[in-house]
Amino acid sequence: MKTANLAIVFTDIKGFTERTSRQTHEQNERLLQTHHALLAPIFKAFGGRILKSIGDAFLVTFESPTQAVLSGIAIQDRLWQYNRSAEEDSQLHVRVAVNVGEVRVESSDVFGEPVNIAARVEGITEAGEVFFTEAVYLAMNKAEVPSQEVGAFELKGIPGKIRVFRVPKAPYRVEAPLLPAQPPVEPASEGPPFGNIALSRIPETTGLPGPDLAATAAALGQHAAVLGQHAVVLGGRARTLGGQLLEGASRSLSPLKARLARDGRFQLPAGLSWQRLGLGLGALAVVLGVGVVALGGSAAERALSDVEAAPAQQRGPLVVKARKLIEQEKNPGVQSYLYGRLEEAEGSWGDAMRRYKAAIKAGEGDAEDRLIDLLEHPKCTVRVAAAAAVGELRLLSARGALKDLADSGGPDDEGGSGTLSRLFNCDSRRAAKSALERLKDG
């Protein structure tokens, strides 16, 4: 296995687990979309490689420890800008932790004690701060990054004490370029927490989203989902129109046959330009695409999609309709899978797992895919239940996802920074390891 000396960065959102319990699914999705739109470009601008984005957490590697810390500083100043114009329930407060050391590298993951130490330091980092270990302090360019020692800490599972440093808040001040879609900021009593010392290094051409643009991107994601549901509803019309267009296209394109010039190039008939031909074929592709979406779902699936897309307070009548249509499904595997999705939409995770297991036993592949996807759910209790179900069923197809979970866990696992993890000691890493053992026994 390949090894490399890399800087490891962990980030997560303060209070994310608690927020997911009081927000709708759509609100949680918008929050995560905004979070990704704000942080991912900054990581890349400083040379970071995003290995994982699980819920509200990022795992990123850098070849330079200096660049790793600078990316954290830029993130905190960028979020300060965003939070000034965001509603309180949309604000993002993130913690950033950095460690450096020799790690084992796979195509999309890293392993080793330096990774574990970074995760533990992230657990003691305060929101809005950038914490890093002594290893980073010794390796980084101290002329570029101000530092201040926090103290020596005993971290769970790590022998000895680890000296931890932080980037102090700024009395220094550097002007950063205005970001796209960001209005000029009026002078304020306080500036960005780290004085833009890192954010000012990112060229304007990098394309970082401004506060308004990030929020717009999140909203567009939600609208895209709603439009997808409308496309399904329009399926009947699309099917008819698609057939008519195919027939018309066949008649329209027939004169194009054997229209080759002497030099071997294709020659269009008089009055037909390449632009008009492209536009016509593009329109045909759009309509046929809608038709494919429409043909892909039964009445029960369309009703279920309506439930998943609707706000929680408006789901009552839609749930009743979906249940009636699911009852009419003749394939027992498909029926159990659809019931599982409905239970999941209503937050009944125990019932959802039971339904998914029944569907998988009946040979329904979609249920197997969904159960494996739930191994990356933001909530630890859901990941644990999914791991238990996968182990019980001995799904070999889940081995890779289980290994990822066993190695990295989730942001709200036991020992993590999430409120629920401290109260209930949920540990999805242990659940994944137990499931892997059951796969071996099988």
Side-chain angles (χ1 to χ4, degrees):
M1 182 181 291
K2 178 183 176 183
T3 62
N5 196 58
L6 296 174
I8 309 297
V9 175
F10 273 102
T11 73
D12 79 336
I13 302 172
K14 174 186 176 183
F16 177 74
T17 303
E18 186 272 332
R19 288 171 77 166
T20 59
S21 64
R22 58 181 171 84
Q23 292 185 157
T24 66
H25 177 73
E26 290 76 16
Q27 288 174 319
N28 292 334
E29 284 298 315
R30 287 199 300 272
L31 182 71
L32 291 176
Q33 288 168 1
T34 302
H35 172 251
H36 191 279
L38 290 169
L39 270 63
I42 293 179
F43 286 133
K44 294 176 182 178
F46 284 91
R49 181 185 175 210
I50 299 174
L51 294 185
K52 290 185 180 180
S53 175
I54 305 175
D56 68 322
F58 274 107
L59 167 58
V60 189
T61 59
F62 292 78
E63 294 185 357
S64 162
T66 304
Q67 294 296 100
V69 178
L70 286 172
S71 75
I73 298 172
I75 282 169
Q76 298 297 10
D77 281 347
R78 182 67 192 87
L79 291 177
W80 176 85
Q81 293 179 355
Y82 166 76
N83 289 335
R84 292 187 69 192
S85 59
E87 298 291 337
E88 185 174 355
D89 60 356
S90 298
Q91 292 182 5
L92 291 167
H93 301 280
V94 167
R95 46 190 141 226
V96 181
V98 189
N99 187 35
V100 68
E102 187 173 36
V103 294
R104 302 190 307 276
V105 181
E106 289 189 355
S107 58
S108 60
D109 213 343
V110 287
F111 307 93
E113 188 174 66
V115 180
N116 299 333
I117 291 175
R120 295 305 184 194
V121 172
E122 187 269 337
I124 64 172
T125 303
E126 298 294 330
E129 297 278 5
V130 181
F131 278 22
F132 52 93
T133 62
E134 183 178 19
V136 175
Y137 173 77
L138 294 174
M140 72 184 188
N141 186 336
K142 300 174 186 61
E144 294 190 62
V145 181
S147 60
Q148 180 182 71
E149 185 168 359
V150 178
F153 296 84
E154 291 183 354
L155 303 175
K156 182 178 178 180
I158 308 299
K161 289 188 176 183
I162 301 295
R163 290 178 68 195
V164 176
F165 294 76
R166 65 188 283 266
V167 180
K169 297 296 175 67
Y172 39 80
R173 187 71 180 271
V174 179
E175 292 302 322
L178 287 179
L179 302 175
Q182 179 191 350
V185 177
E186 295 296 327
S189 57
E190 61 174 11
F194 299 99
N196 289 328
I197 62 170
L199 199 59
S200 61
R201 301 179 180 216
I202 301 178
E204 296 181 49
T205 55
T206 302
L208 293 181
D212 297 335
L213 187 58
T216 300
L220 286 175
Q222 184 188 23
H223 290 316
V226 175
L227 287 174
Q229 306 306 322
H230 288 314
V232 172
V233 174
L234 292 172
R237 297 179 184 176
R239 190 184 317 175
T240 302
L241 183 56
Q244 293 172 349
L245 283 174
L246 278 176
E247 182 181 357
S250 177
R251 290 197 303 268
S252 300
L253 297 177
S254 58
L256 302 181
K257 296 177 181 177
R259 304 269 312 177
L260 293 177
R262 290 184 180 180
D263 60 2
R265 292 182 298 176
F266 193 82
Q267 191 174 45
L268 292 175
L272 180 61
S273 66
W274 285 108
Q275 183 179 17
R276 291 179 62 188
L277 178 61
L279 289 173
L281 291 176
L284 175 62
V286 169
V287 173
L288 290 179
V290 174
V292 169
V293 172
L295 290 170
S298 64
E301 290 172 321
R302 292 196 295 272
L304 181 57
S305 296
D306 290 340
V307 173
E308 293 170 332
Q313 63 272 20
Q314 299 177 13
R315 288 180 178 173
L318 297 174
V319 169
V320 173
K321 178 184 177 182
R323 285 193 182 279
K324 288 181 179 179
L325 291 170
I326 293 173
E327 287 173 3
Q328 299 171 17
E329 175 60 55
K330 295 180 180 180
N331 185 314
V334 173
Q335 185 185 64
S336 294
Y337 166 63
L338 295 177
Y339 271 131
R341 281 179 52 189
L342 187 60
E343 300 291 359
E344 183 180 332
E346 294 189 279
S348 301
W349 290 104
D351 291 333
M353 295 296 172
R354 178 171 56 83
R355 297 283 194 181
Y356 288 146
K357 287 191 291 185
I360 292 169
K361 290 176 181 177
E364 177 54 38
D366 286 342
E368 184 172 330
D369 292 341
R370 181 56 189 158
L371 194 57
I372 294 173
D373 287 342
L374 290 176
L375 292 171
E376 297 185 0
H377 195 275
K379 289 186 178 180
C380 179
T381 51
V382 177
R383 297 193 302 274
V384 168
V390 164
E392 177 185 334
L393 296 169
R394 290 176 168 79
L395 293 181
L396 296 179
S397 58
R399 189 187 300 275
L402 283 173
K403 286 182 177 179
D404 288 342
L405 182 58
D407 290 332
S408 302
D412 57 344
D413 271 354
E414 178 183 7
S417 54
T419 303
L420 291 181
S421 68
R422 293 195 295 270
L423 291 175
F424 300 108
N425 293 325
C426 183
D427 191 345
S428 61
R429 294 180 65 179
R430 183 169 55 194
K433 291 175 182 177
S434 176
L436 285 170
E437 289 300 319
R438 299 194 69 174
L439 293 188
K440 292 179 183 177
D441 296 340

